[in-house]
Amino acid sequence: MPEWPGWEPIIIAAAIMVVALVAAVALRMFAKRLTARAEDTRWAWDDLAARLLYDLALPLSVLGGAWLAANALPLHHGTMVATGRVLTAATVFVVSLALARLVAGIIASVALIRQGTAANVTIFTNISKVLVLGVGVLVMLQSLGVSITPLLGALGVGGLAVALALQDTLANLFAGVHVLASRTMEPGDYIKLSSGQEGYVVDINWRNTSIRTLSDNIEVIPNATFSKTILTNYHRPAQDMSLLIQASCAYDADLDHVEKVVIEVGHEVMAEVEGGVKDALPVVRFHTFDDSRIHFTVILRTVEFGDQFRIKHEFVKRLHRRFRLEGIEMPPPTRKILLPDSFPRPTSTHQSD
């Protein structure tokens, strides 16, 4: 019968666990303050580093203390081996979770830098999380003594069956990756589909794309739809765009004077109204002789798609006011119909039998 080792190893192990818990709490509090300080800076990478320290401080301190405490106890060799494997697997799992969050944060930060404050692409962050966690689980199983070679073979066969069962889901996934890789559209772009949906791209995830309409509603569109429809991106190749406004004047108006007045109003709108491109030159093009007036098109520039409504609103008001001051008429559609004074009456011939 083995002798009782005494209380000394147990006390030492307990003391080690207490010290580990105190160190874990202290590191967690330090990481929390560091995270709050990092949020006040404009640099994103210190936030990620502080968040990683915050995630790992408590679990790694506890797991390290548990390993030291186990070594302080007179355990059998087999028990020590099993304890080491369990603690190693737990450490791998905790580190995998923290690294998955770190990688997702790095991808989100890069997207934010490239695309501005409107960037929100969850498809890449989700894929990166799944990959990191998948590798972490395989390493964790390997540390527990589980052979992952048969598991990889089973995953290959099972993955083929899952791929056949989830064809639509995988089609949406790869379509979303293709859209982002080809830079057809990005979060913040204003798009319009041939099917009629239009709005600002809010998010592109693994299954669908969310767009915000001008009425502040969210429309969710499957990613595979973009490979089957015609898409117009109003932010490509540049965000600013031309705005065409139709107007008209009377036949007896001086067209040179009309053009001068319209250009002056266009310059005024471009310089004073928010959303106008200040150095853009307004253009006037006369194009149609109508029944009672001459039509022309005014070409202005807006900073982005959503500004066109404000620009058009102000331009129409100011042009109408200026035309009234200049005496330029915009006659309504009229049509002159000429009728003869009298109509010849048909004569009828009666025949008698």
Short mmCIF file of all heavy atoms in Angstrom, two decimals, residues 134-187:
data_model
loop_
_atom_site.label_atom_id
_atom_site.label_comp_id
_atom_site.label_asym_id
_atom_site.label_seq_id
_atom_site.Cartn_x
_atom_site.Cartn_y
_atom_site.Cartn_z
N GLY A 134 -10.52 25.47 -37.47
CA GLY A 134 -10.38 24.11 -37.98
C GLY A 134 -8.97 23.57 -37.75
O GLY A 134 -8.79 22.43 -37.29
N VAL A 135 -7.97 24.38 -38.05
CA VAL A 135 -6.58 23.96 -37.80
C VAL A 135 -6.35 23.75 -36.31
O VAL A 135 -5.68 22.79 -35.88
CB VAL A 135 -5.60 24.99 -38.38
CG1 VAL A 135 -4.17 24.66 -37.98
CG2 VAL A 135 -5.72 25.06 -39.90
N GLY A 136 -6.92 24.65 -35.49
CA GLY A 136 -6.76 24.51 -34.05
C GLY A 136 -7.37 23.23 -33.51
O GLY A 136 -6.79 22.56 -32.65
N VAL A 137 -8.54 22.85 -34.02
CA VAL A 137 -9.18 21.61 -33.57
C VAL A 137 -8.35 20.40 -33.97
O VAL A 137 -8.19 19.44 -33.19
CB VAL A 137 -10.61 21.52 -34.15
CG1 VAL A 137 -11.21 20.13 -33.93
CG2 VAL A 137 -11.51 22.57 -33.51
N LEU A 138 -7.79 20.42 -35.19
CA LEU A 138 -6.95 19.29 -35.61
C LEU A 138 -5.70 19.17 -34.74
O LEU A 138 -5.31 18.06 -34.34
CB LEU A 138 -6.56 19.46 -37.08
CG LEU A 138 -7.70 19.35 -38.10
CD1 LEU A 138 -7.19 19.60 -39.51
CD2 LEU A 138 -8.37 17.98 -38.01
N VAL A 139 -5.06 20.29 -34.44
CA VAL A 139 -3.89 20.26 -33.56
C VAL A 139 -4.27 19.80 -32.16
O VAL A 139 -3.53 19.05 -31.51
CB VAL A 139 -3.22 21.65 -33.53
CG1 VAL A 139 -2.08 21.68 -32.52
CG2 VAL A 139 -2.71 22.03 -34.91
N MET A 140 -5.44 20.23 -31.68
CA MET A 140 -5.90 19.82 -30.36
C MET A 140 -6.13 18.31 -30.30
O MET A 140 -5.72 17.64 -29.34
CB MET A 140 -7.19 20.56 -30.02
CG MET A 140 -7.75 20.23 -28.64
SD MET A 140 -9.33 21.05 -28.34
CE MET A 140 -10.38 20.18 -29.52
N LEU A 141 -6.74 17.74 -31.35
CA LEU A 141 -6.96 16.29 -31.38
C LEU A 141 -5.63 15.55 -31.45
O LEU A 141 -5.46 14.49 -30.82
CB LEU A 141 -7.84 15.93 -32.57
CG LEU A 141 -9.29 16.43 -32.52
CD1 LEU A 141 -10.03 16.09 -33.80
CD2 LEU A 141 -10.02 15.85 -31.31
N GLN A 142 -4.68 16.09 -32.22
CA GLN A 142 -3.37 15.46 -32.30
C GLN A 142 -2.67 15.48 -30.95
O GLN A 142 -2.00 14.50 -30.57
CB GLN A 142 -2.52 16.20 -33.34
CG GLN A 142 -1.18 15.56 -33.64
CD GLN A 142 -1.32 14.29 -34.47
OE1 GLN A 142 -2.28 14.14 -35.21
NE2 GLN A 142 -0.35 13.38 -34.31
N SER A 143 -2.81 16.57 -30.21
CA SER A 143 -2.19 16.64 -28.87
C SER A 143 -2.83 15.67 -27.89
O SER A 143 -2.20 15.26 -26.92
CB SER A 143 -2.28 18.06 -28.34
OG SER A 143 -3.63 18.45 -28.13
N LEU A 144 -4.09 15.32 -28.11
CA LEU A 144 -4.77 14.35 -27.26
C LEU A 144 -4.44 12.91 -27.64
O LEU A 144 -4.92 11.97 -26.99
CB LEU A 144 -6.28 14.55 -27.32
CG LEU A 144 -6.82 15.81 -26.64
CD1 LEU A 144 -8.31 15.97 -26.91
CD2 LEU A 144 -6.57 15.76 -25.13
N GLY A 145 -3.64 12.73 -28.69
CA GLY A 145 -3.28 11.39 -29.11
C GLY A 145 -4.22 10.78 -30.12
O GLY A 145 -4.11 9.59 -30.42
N VAL A 146 -5.13 11.57 -30.65
CA VAL A 146 -6.08 11.08 -31.65
C VAL A 146 -5.44 11.21 -33.02
O VAL A 146 -4.98 12.30 -33.41
CB VAL A 146 -7.40 11.85 -31.59
CG1 VAL A 146 -8.36 11.36 -32.68
CG2 VAL A 146 -8.02 11.73 -30.21
N SER A 147 -5.39 10.14 -33.79
CA SER A 147 -4.83 10.19 -35.14
C SER A 147 -5.80 10.92 -36.06
O SER A 147 -6.98 10.53 -36.19
CB SER A 147 -4.58 8.77 -35.65
OG SER A 147 -4.08 8.81 -36.97
N ILE A 148 -5.29 11.96 -36.70
CA ILE A 148 -6.18 12.77 -37.55
C ILE A 148 -6.16 12.31 -39.01
O ILE A 148 -6.94 12.83 -39.82
CB ILE A 148 -5.78 14.26 -37.49
CG1 ILE A 148 -4.36 14.47 -38.03
CG2 ILE A 148 -5.89 14.79 -36.08
CD1 ILE A 148 -3.96 15.92 -38.13
N THR A 149 -5.31 11.34 -39.36
CA THR A 149 -5.27 10.87 -40.75
C THR A 149 -6.58 10.22 -41.17
O THR A 149 -7.15 10.56 -42.22
CB THR A 149 -4.10 9.90 -40.95
OG1 THR A 149 -2.88 10.54 -40.59
CG2 THR A 149 -4.03 9.44 -42.39
N PRO A 150 -7.14 9.27 -40.40
CA PRO A 150 -8.46 8.73 -40.78
C PRO A 150 -9.55 9.81 -40.75
O PRO A 150 -10.48 9.77 -41.55
CB PRO A 150 -8.72 7.64 -39.73
CG PRO A 150 -7.39 7.32 -39.17
CD PRO A 150 -6.61 8.58 -39.21
N LEU A 151 -9.39 10.75 -39.82
CA LEU A 151 -10.39 11.82 -39.73
C LEU A 151 -10.37 12.68 -40.98
O LEU A 151 -11.43 13.06 -41.50
CB LEU A 151 -10.11 12.67 -38.49
CG LEU A 151 -11.07 13.83 -38.24
CD1 LEU A 151 -12.49 13.32 -38.04
CD2 LEU A 151 -10.62 14.62 -37.02
N LEU A 152 -9.17 12.97 -41.50
CA LEU A 152 -9.07 13.76 -42.72
C LEU A 152 -9.68 13.02 -43.90
O LEU A 152 -10.34 13.62 -44.76
CB LEU A 152 -7.61 14.10 -43.01
CG LEU A 152 -6.94 15.08 -42.04
CD1 LEU A 152 -5.47 15.26 -42.40
CD2 LEU A 152 -7.65 16.43 -42.07
N GLY A 153 -9.47 11.70 -43.96
CA GLY A 153 -10.10 10.91 -45.02
C GLY A 153 -11.61 10.92 -44.93
O GLY A 153 -12.31 11.08 -45.94
N ALA A 154 -12.11 10.76 -43.70
CA ALA A 154 -13.56 10.80 -43.52
C ALA A 154 -14.12 12.18 -43.85
O ALA A 154 -15.21 12.30 -44.43
CB ALA A 154 -13.91 10.42 -42.08
N LEU A 155 -13.37 13.22 -43.50
CA LEU A 155 -13.83 14.57 -43.82
C LEU A 155 -13.86 14.79 -45.33
O LEU A 155 -14.72 15.51 -45.85
CB LEU A 155 -12.91 15.60 -43.16
CG LEU A 155 -13.04 15.74 -41.64
CD1 LEU A 155 -12.01 16.74 -41.11
CD2 LEU A 155 -14.45 16.21 -41.27
N GLY A 156 -12.90 14.17 -46.05
CA GLY A 156 -12.90 14.32 -47.50
C GLY A 156 -14.13 13.70 -48.13
O GLY A 156 -14.80 14.32 -48.98
N VAL A 157 -14.47 12.48 -47.72
CA VAL A 157 -15.66 11.81 -48.26
C VAL A 157 -16.93 12.55 -47.81
O VAL A 157 -17.85 12.81 -48.61
CB VAL A 157 -15.70 10.34 -47.82
CG1 VAL A 157 -16.97 9.67 -48.32
CG2 VAL A 157 -14.48 9.61 -48.35
N GLY A 158 -16.96 12.89 -46.52
CA GLY A 158 -18.14 13.62 -46.03
C GLY A 158 -18.27 14.99 -46.65
O GLY A 158 -19.38 15.48 -46.91
N GLY A 159 -17.11 15.64 -46.91
CA GLY A 159 -17.17 16.96 -47.54
C GLY A 159 -17.75 16.91 -48.94
O GLY A 159 -18.47 17.81 -49.36
N LEU A 160 -17.46 15.83 -49.69
CA LEU A 160 -18.03 15.67 -51.02
C LEU A 160 -19.54 15.53 -50.95
O LEU A 160 -20.28 16.13 -51.74
CB LEU A 160 -17.40 14.46 -51.71
CG LEU A 160 -17.91 14.13 -53.11
CD1 LEU A 160 -17.65 15.31 -54.05
CD2 LEU A 160 -17.26 12.86 -53.63
N ALA A 161 -20.01 14.74 -49.98
CA ALA A 161 -21.46 14.57 -49.83
C ALA A 161 -22.12 15.88 -49.42
O ALA A 161 -23.20 16.23 -49.92
CB ALA A 161 -21.74 13.47 -48.80
N VAL A 162 -21.47 16.59 -48.51
CA VAL A 162 -22.03 17.88 -48.08
C VAL A 162 -22.04 18.88 -49.23
O VAL A 162 -22.98 19.65 -49.40
CB VAL A 162 -21.23 18.43 -46.88
CG1 VAL A 162 -21.64 19.86 -46.56
CG2 VAL A 162 -21.42 17.54 -45.66
N ALA A 163 -20.98 18.85 -50.06
CA ALA A 163 -20.92 19.77 -51.19
C ALA A 163 -22.05 19.51 -52.18
O ALA A 163 -22.64 20.45 -52.74
CB ALA A 163 -19.56 19.64 -51.89
N LEU A 164 -22.37 18.25 -52.40
CA LEU A 164 -23.48 17.93 -53.30
C LEU A 164 -24.82 18.35 -52.70
O LEU A 164 -25.73 18.77 -53.43
CB LEU A 164 -23.49 16.42 -53.60
CG LEU A 164 -22.29 15.90 -54.43
CD1 LEU A 164 -22.35 14.39 -54.56
CD2 LEU A 164 -22.27 16.57 -55.80
N ALA A 165 -24.94 18.24 -51.39
CA ALA A 165 -26.21 18.60 -50.75
C ALA A 165 -26.38 20.11 -50.61
O ALA A 165 -27.50 20.60 -50.52
CB ALA A 165 -26.30 17.94 -49.37
N LEU A 166 -25.28 20.84 -50.58
CA LEU A 166 -25.34 22.29 -50.36
C LEU A 166 -24.83 23.05 -51.58
O LEU A 166 -24.02 23.97 -51.47
CB LEU A 166 -24.51 22.66 -49.12
CG LEU A 166 -24.94 22.03 -47.80
CD1 LEU A 166 -23.99 22.44 -46.68
CD2 LEU A 166 -26.38 22.43 -47.44
N GLN A 167 -25.28 22.66 -52.76
CA GLN A 167 -24.81 23.29 -53.98
C GLN A 167 -25.16 24.78 -54.01
O GLN A 167 -24.34 25.62 -54.38
CB GLN A 167 -25.40 22.58 -55.19
CG GLN A 167 -24.91 21.16 -55.39
CD GLN A 167 -25.44 20.54 -56.66
OE1 GLN A 167 -25.61 21.21 -57.67
NE2 GLN A 167 -25.71 19.26 -56.61
N ASP A 168 -26.40 25.12 -53.63
CA ASP A 168 -26.82 26.52 -53.67
C ASP A 168 -26.02 27.36 -52.69
O ASP A 168 -25.59 28.49 -53.01
CB ASP A 168 -28.32 26.64 -53.36
CG ASP A 168 -29.18 26.01 -54.44
OD1 ASP A 168 -28.67 25.87 -55.58
OD2 ASP A 168 -30.34 25.66 -54.16
N THR A 169 -25.81 26.83 -51.50
CA THR A 169 -25.05 27.57 -50.48
C THR A 169 -23.62 27.79 -50.94
O THR A 169 -23.07 28.89 -50.80
CB THR A 169 -25.08 26.81 -49.15
OG1 THR A 169 -26.44 26.66 -48.72
CG2 THR A 169 -24.30 27.57 -48.08
N LEU A 170 -22.99 26.74 -51.47
CA LEU A 170 -21.61 26.88 -51.94
C LEU A 170 -21.53 27.81 -53.16
O LEU A 170 -20.55 28.55 -53.33
CB LEU A 170 -21.04 25.51 -52.30
CG LEU A 170 -20.83 24.55 -51.11
CD1 LEU A 170 -20.33 23.20 -51.58
CD2 LEU A 170 -19.85 25.16 -50.10
N ALA A 171 -22.57 27.77 -54.01
CA ALA A 171 -22.59 28.69 -55.15
C ALA A 171 -22.62 30.14 -54.68
O ALA A 171 -21.92 31.01 -55.22
CB ALA A 171 -23.80 28.39 -56.04
N ASN A 172 -23.41 30.42 -53.64
CA ASN A 172 -23.45 31.76 -53.09
C ASN A 172 -22.12 32.15 -52.45
O ASN A 172 -21.66 33.29 -52.56
CB ASN A 172 -24.57 31.87 -52.05
CG ASN A 172 -25.95 31.87 -52.68
OD1 ASN A 172 -26.15 32.48 -53.73
ND2 ASN A 172 -26.89 31.20 -52.05
N LEU A 173 -21.49 31.18 -51.79
CA LEU A 173 -20.20 31.45 -51.14
C LEU A 173 -19.14 31.82 -52.18
O LEU A 173 -18.47 32.85 -52.06
CB LEU A 173 -19.76 30.23 -50.35
CG LEU A 173 -18.34 30.28 -49.77
CD1 LEU A 173 -18.20 31.41 -48.77
CD2 LEU A 173 -17.98 28.94 -49.11
N PHE A 174 -18.98 31.00 -53.20
CA PHE A 174 -17.95 31.27 -54.21
C PHE A 174 -18.29 32.49 -55.04
O PHE A 174 -17.38 33.20 -55.50
CB PHE A 174 -17.74 30.05 -55.09
CG PHE A 174 -17.09 28.89 -54.39
CD1 PHE A 174 -17.77 27.70 -54.19
CD2 PHE A 174 -15.80 29.00 -53.89
CE1 PHE A 174 -17.17 26.64 -53.54
CE2 PHE A 174 -15.19 27.95 -53.23
CZ PHE A 174 -15.88 26.77 -53.05
N ALA A 175 -19.58 32.75 -55.24
CA ALA A 175 -19.97 33.96 -55.97
C ALA A 175 -19.59 35.20 -55.18
O ALA A 175 -19.12 36.19 -55.74
CB ALA A 175 -21.47 33.94 -56.26
N GLY A 176 -19.78 35.15 -53.86
CA GLY A 176 -19.39 36.29 -53.03
C GLY A 176 -17.89 36.52 -53.02
O GLY A 176 -17.42 37.65 -53.11
N VAL A 177 -17.12 35.42 -52.96
CA VAL A 177 -15.66 35.55 -53.01
C VAL A 177 -15.22 36.11 -54.36
O VAL A 177 -14.34 36.97 -54.44
CB VAL A 177 -15.00 34.18 -52.75
CG1 VAL A 177 -13.49 34.26 -52.97
CG2 VAL A 177 -15.30 33.72 -51.33
N HIS A 178 -15.87 35.66 -55.45
CA HIS A 178 -15.51 36.15 -56.79
C HIS A 178 -15.84 37.63 -56.92
O HIS A 178 -15.05 38.40 -57.51
CB HIS A 178 -16.27 35.35 -57.84
CG HIS A 178 -16.11 35.89 -59.23
ND1 HIS A 178 -14.94 35.81 -59.94
CD2 HIS A 178 -16.99 36.56 -60.02
CE1 HIS A 178 -15.09 36.38 -61.11
NE2 HIS A 178 -16.33 36.85 -61.19
N VAL A 179 -16.98 38.05 -56.40
CA VAL A 179 -17.36 39.47 -56.49
C VAL A 179 -16.34 40.34 -55.79
O VAL A 179 -15.92 41.39 -56.31
CB VAL A 179 -18.77 39.68 -55.90
CG1 VAL A 179 -19.04 41.16 -55.65
CG2 VAL A 179 -19.83 39.12 -56.83
N LEU A 180 -15.91 39.93 -54.60
CA LEU A 180 -14.94 40.73 -53.86
C LEU A 180 -13.55 40.66 -54.49
O LEU A 180 -12.83 41.66 -54.52
CB LEU A 180 -14.88 40.25 -52.41
CG LEU A 180 -16.12 40.55 -51.56
CD1 LEU A 180 -16.01 39.89 -50.21
CD2 LEU A 180 -16.29 42.05 -51.40
N ALA A 181 -13.16 39.49 -54.98
CA ALA A 181 -11.84 39.36 -55.58
C ALA A 181 -11.73 40.16 -56.87
O ALA A 181 -10.69 40.75 -57.17
CB ALA A 181 -11.52 37.89 -55.84
N SER A 182 -12.81 40.20 -57.65
CA SER A 182 -12.80 40.95 -58.90
C SER A 182 -13.10 42.43 -58.70
O SER A 182 -13.06 43.19 -59.67
CB SER A 182 -13.83 40.36 -59.87
OG SER A 182 -15.15 40.46 -59.33
N ARG A 183 -13.45 42.82 -57.46
CA ARG A 183 -13.74 44.22 -57.13
C ARG A 183 -14.88 44.76 -57.99
O ARG A 183 -14.88 45.93 -58.39
CB ARG A 183 -12.50 45.08 -57.27
CG ARG A 183 -11.34 44.63 -56.42
CD ARG A 183 -10.24 45.63 -56.45
NE ARG A 183 -10.71 46.90 -55.87
CZ ARG A 183 -10.01 47.61 -55.01
NH1 ARG A 183 -8.86 47.15 -54.59
NH2 ARG A 183 -10.47 48.74 -54.55
N THR A 184 -15.85 43.88 -58.28
CA THR A 184 -17.03 44.35 -59.00
C THR A 184 -17.79 45.36 -58.17
O THR A 184 -18.33 46.34 -58.71
CB THR A 184 -17.94 43.15 -59.34
OG1 THR A 184 -17.18 42.20 -60.09
CG2 THR A 184 -19.15 43.58 -60.13
N MET A 185 -17.85 45.12 -56.89
CA MET A 185 -18.48 46.07 -55.97
C MET A 185 -17.87 45.88 -54.60
O MET A 185 -17.32 44.82 -54.29
CB MET A 185 -20.00 45.87 -55.93
CG MET A 185 -20.42 44.49 -55.44
SD MET A 185 -22.21 44.29 -55.42
CE MET A 185 -22.34 42.59 -54.82
N GLU A 186 -17.99 46.91 -53.79
CA GLU A 186 -17.47 46.88 -52.43
C GLU A 186 -18.47 47.58 -51.52
O GLU A 186 -19.32 48.35 -52.00
CB GLU A 186 -16.11 47.57 -52.35
CG GLU A 186 -15.00 46.87 -53.13
CD GLU A 186 -13.69 47.63 -53.08
OE1 GLU A 186 -13.72 48.81 -52.66
OE2 GLU A 186 -12.66 47.06 -53.47
N PRO A 187 -18.41 47.32 -50.22
CA PRO A 187 -19.30 48.03 -49.31
C PRO A 187 -19.16 49.54 -49.46
O PRO A 187 -18.06 50.08 -49.52
CB PRO A 187 -18.84 47.55 -47.92
CG PRO A 187 -18.30 46.18 -48.17
CD PRO A 187 -17.64 46.25 -49.53
#
